């Protein structure tokens, strides 16, 4: 079978007994980076006195997963197979989902061990009381894709959670401030590590405080949602309005994602 095993996101003591047992019993370990995984197992071996020798390691990451899937044999999973990303929960902004999909399509038994995850840890730490959130991973680095994605997060009625590198954090804070300087945000770096640190304030205040700071570490950012005072429009609301077909088609296109031209022809 296949077992997806979460690894610590910082503190080595966050690994579970189930995760250690799965790694100990594994015959083949798919890794996001074999060097990182071998080093991690070496540390676990010293700390917990577990023998991780005689394992087969195969690299499996976002750049080679499609190629590996083309040659993957279902008989391989007659072994105890484990997948680990470099840190945290596989499939959450990390590779692994394609392996799960392969198992589902080929009726291969699989399991996921719960464990350390930066998204949920930051959510619990933030003090925001919203019941729903949307996780966006890393934003596009630049261009209209980044602008449009951030705009949709800032306009959402759900708490937005994303990752950002130290090199682009200040840029993100500036972008958020330009859209809504009074929006409350929560940011935290190096979760579970020695230099973990968090801040919660208006976008403007955090941006001003970080302008002259030497920014290090990986960050999780939570953005307060827009508080809606009324009810959201739906498709039937638009269809019932007495509007010109072109205007109605544009509105329906925004709601549905369909082409304005196609909707316009249907209205005619």
């Amino acid at each position: 079978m296949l077992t997806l095993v979460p690894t610590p996101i910082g503190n080595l003591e966050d690994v579970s007994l189930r995760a250690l047992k799965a790694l100990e019993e594994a015959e083949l370990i798919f890794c996001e980076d074999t060097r990182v995984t071998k080093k991690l197992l070496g540390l676990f071996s010293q700390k917990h006195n577990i023998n991780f020798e005689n394992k087969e390691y195969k690299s499996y990451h976002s750049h080679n997963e499609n190629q590996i899937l083309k040659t993957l044999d279902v008989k391989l999973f007659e072994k105890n197979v484990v997948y680990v990303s470099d840190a945290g929960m596989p499939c959450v902004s990390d590779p692994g989902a394609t392996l799960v999909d392969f198992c589902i399509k080929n009726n291969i038994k699989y399991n996921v061990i719960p464990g350390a995850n930066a998204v949920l840890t930051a959510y619990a730490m933030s003090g925001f009381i919203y019941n729903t959130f949307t996780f966006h991973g890393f934003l596009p680095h630049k261009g209209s894709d980044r602008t449009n994605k951030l705009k949709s997060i800032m306009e959402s009625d759900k708490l937005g959670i994303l990752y950002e590198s130290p090199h682009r954090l200040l840029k993100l804070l500036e972008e958020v401030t330009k859209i809504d300087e009074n929006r409350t945000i929560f940011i935290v770096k190096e979760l579970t590590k020695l230099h973990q640190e968090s801040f919660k304030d208006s976008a403007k205040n955090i941006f001003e405080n970080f302008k002259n700071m030497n920014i290090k570490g990986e960050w999780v950012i939570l953005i307060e949602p827009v508080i809606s005072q009324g009810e959201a429009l739906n498709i039937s609301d638009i269809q019932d309005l007495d509007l010109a077909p072109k205007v109605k088609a544009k509105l329906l296109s925004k709601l549905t994602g369909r082409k304005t031209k196609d909707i316009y022809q249907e209205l005619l």
Side-chain angles (χ1 to χ4, degrees):
M1 67 176 290
L2 170 70
T3 304
L4 278 75
V5 178
T7 52
I9 56 177
N11 193 319
L12 285 178
E13 294 183 0
D14 288 338
V15 70
S16 70
L17 295 176
R18 283 186 66 196
L20 288 172
K21 184 178 180 181
L23 290 167
E24 183 181 13
E25 295 177 349
E27 298 168 83
L28 168 62
I29 301 178
F30 280 112
C31 321
E32 186 176 3
D33 188 323
T34 57
R35 296 164 298 180
V36 172
T37 300
K38 288 177 181 179
K39 182 178 179 180
L40 181 64
L41 294 190
L43 294 172
F44 286 156
S45 178
Q46 297 172 24
K47 191 173 184 65
H48 300 280
N49 195 27
I50 298 175
N51 183 1
F52 293 111
E53 295 180 1
N54 302 318
K55 309 287 184 191
E56 183 182 359
Y57 297 86
K58 285 187 179 293
S59 176
Y60 191 92
H61 49 72
S62 58
H63 299 296
N64 72 357
E65 58 184 337
N66 291 330
Q67 187 62 37
I68 290 178
L69 285 171
K70 291 177 183 178
T71 59
L72 204 56
D73 189 341
V74 294
K75 292 182 179 179
L76 185 70
F77 294 91
E78 293 173 1
K79 299 178 179 180
N80 281 329
V81 182
V82 156
Y83 176 77
V84 293
S85 57
D86 288 346
M89 177 64 72
C91 308
V92 182
S93 202
D94 275 332
T98 50
L99 268 181
V100 173
D101 186 58
F102 180 87
C103 289
I104 293 171
K105 289 177 178 176
N106 291 279
N107 200 29
I108 297 168
K109 186 179 178 183
Y110 72 95
N111 195 13
V112 179
I113 295 175
N117 174 259
V119 177
L120 293 179
T121 304
Y123 175 66
M125 188 182 289
S126 70
F128 283 124
I129 58 174
Y130 305 102
N131 294 327
T132 58
F133 66 81
T134 305
F135 174 58
H136 302 274
F138 287 92
L139 291 179
H141 292 175
K142 56 185 178 180
S144 60
D145 288 344
R146 180 181 177 90
T147 302
N148 294 336
K149 184 66 175 178
L150 181 58
K151 183 180 178 183
S152 71
I153 296 171
M154 294 292 291
E155 294 175 351
S156 174
D157 62 353
K158 296 179 177 61
L159 184 70
I161 305 180
L162 52 132
Y163 292 156
E164 192 55 279
S165 70
H167 315 294
R168 280 182 291 273
L169 179 67
L170 191 62
K171 176 184 177 182
L172 175 63
L173 294 175
E174 183 178 17
E175 290 167 332
V176 172
T177 300
K178 285 181 178 179
I179 297 173
D180 183 357
E181 63 180 26
N182 295 315
R183 188 73 61 90
T184 300
I185 62 174
F186 172 84
I187 64 175
V188 57
K189 73 167 184 175
E190 300 291 87
L191 275 169
T192 80
K193 298 179 183 177
L194 182 63
H195 299 292
Q196 174 181 300
E197 197 170 7
S198 63
F199 307 84
K200 187 177 183 180
D201 205 335
S202 69
K204 180 181 180 181
N205 287 343
I206 291 182
F207 173 58
E208 292 295 333
N209 289 335
F210 273 66
K211 269 185 177 179
N212 300 313
M213 188 180 295
N214 183 18
I215 300 173
K216 296 181 179 180
E218 298 295 323
W219 294 80
V220 185
I221 298 92
L222 283 77
I223 300 176
E224 185 181 35
V226 173
I227 308 301
S228 176
Q229 300 299 322
E231 295 183 8
L233 285 172
N234 57 42
I235 294 173
S236 61
D237 293 329
I238 301 297
Q239 289 173 332
D240 294 339
L241 292 175
D242 184 16
L243 297 171
K246 283 187 177 180
V247 176
K248 189 178 290 188
K250 287 181 179 180
L251 290 172
L252 289 171
S253 175
K254 287 282 188 179
L255 279 176
T256 63
R258 296 176 59 203
K259 291 182 179 179
T260 304
K261 183 179 178 180
D262 293 342
I263 299 174
Y264 178 69
Q265 291 298 325
E266 291 175 8
L267 291 175
L268 292 180

